Amino acid sequence: MATAKQPPTRKKRFLLDDLELTILSLPTAIWYIAFCYIPMFGVVMAFKNYRVKMGQGFLYSLFVNSDWVGFKNFQFLFRGQDAYLMFRNTLGYNLVFIVLGVLLPVALAILISQMYSQRLAKACQTSMFLPHFLSWVVVSYFVFAFLSMDKGLINQIIRSFGGKSVNFYQESGLWVFLLIFLNVWKSMGYGMVVYLARISGIDTELYEAALIDGASKWQQVKYITLPMLRPIMSIMFILSVGNIFRSDFGLFYQATRNAGALSDVTMTIDVYVFKLLIERSNVNYSSAAGLLQSALGLVTILGANLLVKKIDPDAGLF
Amino acid sequence: MTAKQSTRKPKALGTEGIQKFNRVKPATNVFITVLFILLALMTLLPAVFVLILSLSSERSIQAVGYSFFPAEWSLDTYAYLWRDKEVIGRALFNSVFVTVGGTFIGLVLCSTMGYALSRPNYYLKKFYTVFIFIPMLFGGGLVASFMVNTQIYNLRNTYWILMLPLACSTFYIIIMRTFFQTTVPDSVIESAKIDGARQFRIFGQIVLPISLPAIATIGLFFTFGFWNDWFLARVYLNTNRQDLYPLQYVLISIERNIEFMTRSAQYMTPGHVEKLPGETIRMAIVMVVVLPIACSYPFFQKYFISGLTIGAVKG
């Protein structure tokens, strides 16, 4: 009886159809193996003292020629000031970015949807979307045009009021706020668009019914708009919490022009790994830092998802 | 008609009347309007500023610095860039080549996998779903990728390394899969199968042509991604391979030393060696990068938004 209910395809066999689909998707599968899965095994470098053996391949150098050192690379990492700095910076900036990255776009999206002139709203939205499409290299030039020591606009204004030029690329205290500002500047348009798309999808009858019941504008936002936005907000929240150990390398390295005097406030984990690997060719410590970042990132994204699911079972990402 | 009537009688009981009645107060509207005009200016002005700088003459910049009101306008910088085939022409070619090639590869990789995952009875569906999801959670990181790409695949200093690492993304595959699932009716595919069409043909001749909006969306994501990428060039290109530099990386290189441009000037015929407009040339190259984006994205943003909203569907 039970077998009669189930369709005959229940016991799956590999059919010709499946073979064709597999051939079709084979290049993508190869890409994933080559660029995602094989590098995953590279994490063993964090536990090795990598030494190159001349004339031999990378694999020989890594697996035969290099000794296992256990957690020594990690110990070295935490010996100096660097580990404290990069974890403080990465987590600190990300906490601010997460709070601003959820609150600001939601607030802006609700406000702009209330504007009388929807044509003007559209124009503003479009221009606020522009920074999302620019690279940090380009943004670094924008910033430089304002902050340059001898020709920058701000220094000219300071000088015209009789002040002395400021070398902004050495003022690390200022950059804490500047980096937050730049991040908001570049991402607020994008966030706003995401929430605005949802807001314009809300049935207007809901608001009309609320109005007839005497709800004020604020009550409408609180009891209709915000609950409707909650699923997207929680997805955005999970994603950003899951990436709390990652940082936008371009923001911290390129937008600051890699200024040495700023390294106290710009050195995040990604910047550290990059500098160690590319500028100093140190594979051991940089891979240890990278592995730490990946492992902690895995834990936080699973944790954030679990947490959100506990609060609202339908809101999880996976 | 109805709209006109309702403006004359604001509190008429039509839908528009209610909406009009439900608006924020005029004073609040003024506040919101001013706020958003300021925000819009804040995002646009830096780009306009750099455009003005690129159109200033070198002498003007030496005299009044970076200013919204240059002492002298000039197109010399652009004329110089136009003549400079050696560095800028080459870099523009590289950027376009990597963008077009990378987008093509990316579309092939994402659409094929997206299609396979959209077939409800596909044998490997469950496996592949997990297979493409794991890299979203965990990765080998920069160091491992760097070693594998340079030591095993030997991709350093090639066009491939500027394209392949960015040529696929789980996020885009999920958007494709969702699109195929929701807009391509199963009955169409089943009937094509009954008519004897194989999956390759169904995919190429039926599914792809009716999925152009999704292809356009993902294609745009890729195009902007490749056009804006500088990280791969920074990591994988050696300083002696300037023939491979894309525009974004030229910008980084001249930020570090303007000699980068003068060196190429020496290769030009002796009679044509001219004084290099050092300050304005950087700003002009920035504009070469920004203008194509700035002029095109307003027309494409609706595809972007649709992609973003499809991507927010979990599954």
Side-chain angles (χ1 to χ4, degrees), chain A residues 97-170:
Chain A
F97 292 169
I98 289 172
V99 173
L100 291 179
V102 174
L103 292 186
L104 263 181
V106 170
L108 290 177
I110 291 173
L111 284 179
I112 204 172
S113 69
Q114 298 299 328
M115 224 156 115
Y116 284 10
S117 164
Q118 281 303 302
R119 190 176 290 180
L120 184 62
K122 184 84 192 158
C124 289
Q125 181 211 313
T126 302
S127 79
M128 285 167 71
F129 207 8
L130 173 68
H132 174 72
F133 297 102
L134 302 177
S135 68
W136 282 115
V137 176
V138 165
V139 176
S140 81
Y141 277 89
F142 287 2
V143 175
F144 186 71
F146 287 93
L147 297 188
S148 159
M149 169 93 171
D150 48 349
K151 301 195 182 67
L153 188 66
I154 293 180
N155 268 322
Q156 283 179 62
I157 295 172
I158 292 177
R159 275 196 300 267
S160 73
F161 283 102
K164 266 184 79 179
S165 294
V166 184
N167 189 349
F168 287 109
Y169 288 90
Q170 287 182 358

Side-chain angles (χ1 to χ4, degrees), chain B residues 66-298:
Chain B
Y66 299 149
S67 162
F68 274 101
F69 310 101
E72 187 186 19
W73 298 87
S74 158
L75 277 169
D76 284 356
T77 319
Y78 288 95
Y80 181 88
L81 283 188
W82 180 249
R83 280 194 301 274
D84 179 21
K85 304 273 189 298
E86 199 67 46
V87 171
I88 298 307
R90 180 80 200 175
L92 183 62
F93 168 79
N94 290 339
S95 279
V96 172
F97 180 77
V98 166
T99 304
V100 173
T103 303
F104 176 76
I105 298 173
L107 281 175
V108 170
L109 291 181
C110 289
S111 60
T112 48
M113 182 58 96
Y115 176 67
L117 283 175
S118 73
R119 299 293 86 228
N121 291 323
Y122 179 39
Y123 189 81
L124 293 175
K125 186 179 153 97
K126 276 230 172 81
F127 167 74
Y128 268 155
T129 307
V130 177
F131 180 74
I132 66 167
F133 187 64
I134 289 174
M136 275 186 115
L137 299 178
F138 186 80
L142 174 66
V143 186
S145 303
F146 178 80
M147 297 311 274
V148 169
N149 287 338
T150 56
Q151 305 289 328
I152 299 181
Y153 307 149
N154 275 322
L155 289 177
R156 197 170 202 158
N157 298 321
T158 58
Y159 279 120
W160 292 113
I161 197 63
L162 301 179
M163 300 193 258
L164 287 180
L166 289 178
C168 194
S169 133
T170 303
F171 183 65
Y172 298 164
I173 291 179
I174 290 173
I175 294 179
M176 282 280 190
R177 184 211 60 183
T178 311
F179 187 89
F180 292 145
Q181 274 173 348
T182 48
T183 47
V184 183
D186 271 347
S187 55
V188 172
I189 291 168
E190 290 307 318
S191 65
K193 253 192 237 168
I194 289 165
D195 289 345
R198 302 255 59 104
Q199 286 290 357
F200 308 115
R201 219 174 135 190
I202 297 174
F203 178 65
Q205 294 191 346
I206 299 173
V207 174
L208 280 188
I210 56 175
S211 303
L212 280 180
I215 307 271
T217 305
I218 303 297
L220 279 173
F221 279 127
F222 273 124
T223 306
F224 284 102
F226 281 111
W227 182 258
N228 277 334
D229 184 67
W230 50 272
F231 187 71
L232 291 173
R234 174 77 182 85
V235 172
Y236 292 107
L237 295 188
N238 286 354
T239 41
N240 61 356
R241 291 306 303 271
Q242 284 168 17
D243 55 320
L244 292 176
Y245 281 17
L247 279 171
Q248 300 270 356
Y249 194 42
V250 167
L251 274 176
I252 296 180
S253 306
I254 58 172
E255 183 184 293
R256 278 185 288 177
N257 67 20
I258 193 73
E259 314 301 310
F260 181 82
M261 293 295 297
T262 38
R263 210 182 319 159
S264 78
Q266 291 164 5
Y267 297 127
M268 295 165 77
T269 46
H272 287 87
V273 177
E274 52 203 312
K275 197 177 172 308
L276 189 77
E279 287 292 342
T280 52
I281 202 158
R282 308 166 193 229
M283 303 305 177
I285 300 175
V286 172
M287 280 346 276
V288 174
V289 171
V290 169
L291 279 179
I293 299 174
C295 296
S296 61
Y297 88 93

Side-chain angles (χ1 to χ4, degrees), chain B residues 11-32:
Chain B
K11 281 173 193 173
L13 273 177
T15 312
E16 284 130 20
I18 292 181
Q19 271 174 7
K20 209 148 231 184
F21 185 68
N22 194 19
R23 297 198 300 193
V24 291
K25 290 190 211 78
T28 318
N29 180 52
V30 171
F31 167 74
I32 295 174

